[in-house]
Amino acid sequence: MDTLPATAWIDIVIALTAVEAVALALYHRATGRGVAPADFAPTLASGVALLFALRSVVAVGFGPVAAAWLLAGGAAHVADLRRRWRARRVVPAR
């Protein structure tokens, strides 16, 4: 019995991640509860970029495309950290 190639499994994970993002956004929009898209989008972008980097490496080996995806994932991660760090700042009492 043949199994799916590794790239197909990665594609499935990427698709399920997209479905999850849409479901979370729709739930938040409909109820006002849950995680707001602005709160999960940078983390999601970082993870999906890493999945695309993995897919690129599995398909053709490490190269400029995989490096670009890793760079994109790192940039999304830094943006997420900066946003969270700023949100936690406490204004000193006077």
Side-chain angles (χ1 to χ4, degrees), residues 14-40:
I14 292 169
L16 289 173
T17 303
V19 169
E20 176 189 19
V22 170
L24 286 170
L26 290 175
Y27 177 76
H28 181 72
R29 185 176 188 182
T31 67
R33 297 184 352 204
V35 182
D39 291 334
F40 70 77

Side-chain angles (χ1 to χ4, degrees), residues 7-81:
T7 54
W9 287 108
I10 297 167
D11 290 341
I12 290 168
V13 173
I14 292 169
L16 289 173
T17 303
V19 169
E20 176 189 19
V22 170
L24 286 170
L26 290 175
Y27 177 76
H28 181 72
R29 185 176 188 182
T31 67
R33 297 184 352 204
V35 182
D39 291 334
F40 70 77
T43 303
L44 185 74
S46 177
V48 169
L50 292 177
L51 286 167
F52 277 114
L54 175 63
R55 189 188 191 292
S56 176
V57 169
V58 169
V60 296
F62 188 79
V65 173
W69 281 116
L70 289 173
L71 184 62
H77 181 63
V78 167
D80 185 38
L81 286 175

